[in-house]
């Protein structure tokens, strides 16, 4: 089961969280607005979905890539 990090816990992030297990993913990290995207906070996730604001997304994506996700 691939390990998934959800960055952004609004409506879409919560929906992905609800559906992920049935779609074959294990959610290992749920990051909200007060959480930093780091290797530690991603908890070994293999893939991340990013559902924050347009202003926050580029830095979050770069941080996830830098963390090996």
């Amino acid at each position: 089961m691939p390990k998934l990090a959800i960055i952004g816990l609004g409506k879409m992030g919560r929906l992905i969280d609800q559906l992920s297990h049935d779609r074959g993913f294990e959610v290992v990290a749920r990051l909200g607005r007060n959480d930093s995207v780091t290797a530690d906070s991603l908890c070994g996730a293999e893939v991340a979905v990013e559902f924050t604001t347009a202003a926050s997304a580029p830095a979050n994506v770069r941080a996830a890539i830098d963390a090996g996700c």
Side-chain angles (χ1 to χ4, degrees):
M1 193 174 279
K3 295 179 180 178
L4 174 67
I6 300 172
I7 304 169
L9 299 174
K11 290 179 186 178
M12 185 61 76
R14 290 190 311 267
L15 180 60
I16 295 295
D17 193 11
Q18 291 173 359
L19 297 174
S20 60
H21 185 74
D22 291 341
R23 303 284 193 232
F25 290 90
E26 174 189 3
V27 178
V28 295
R30 294 167 182 85
L31 305 177
R33 77 178 59 204
N34 296 321
D35 299 312
S36 297
V37 180
T38 65
D40 286 340
S41 68
L42 291 171
C43 302
E46 299 167 287
V47 65
V49 291
E50 208 284 348
F51 292 107
T52 64
T53 65
S56 300
N60 289 338
V61 171
R62 282 191 295 275
I65 291 169
D66 290 346
C69 181

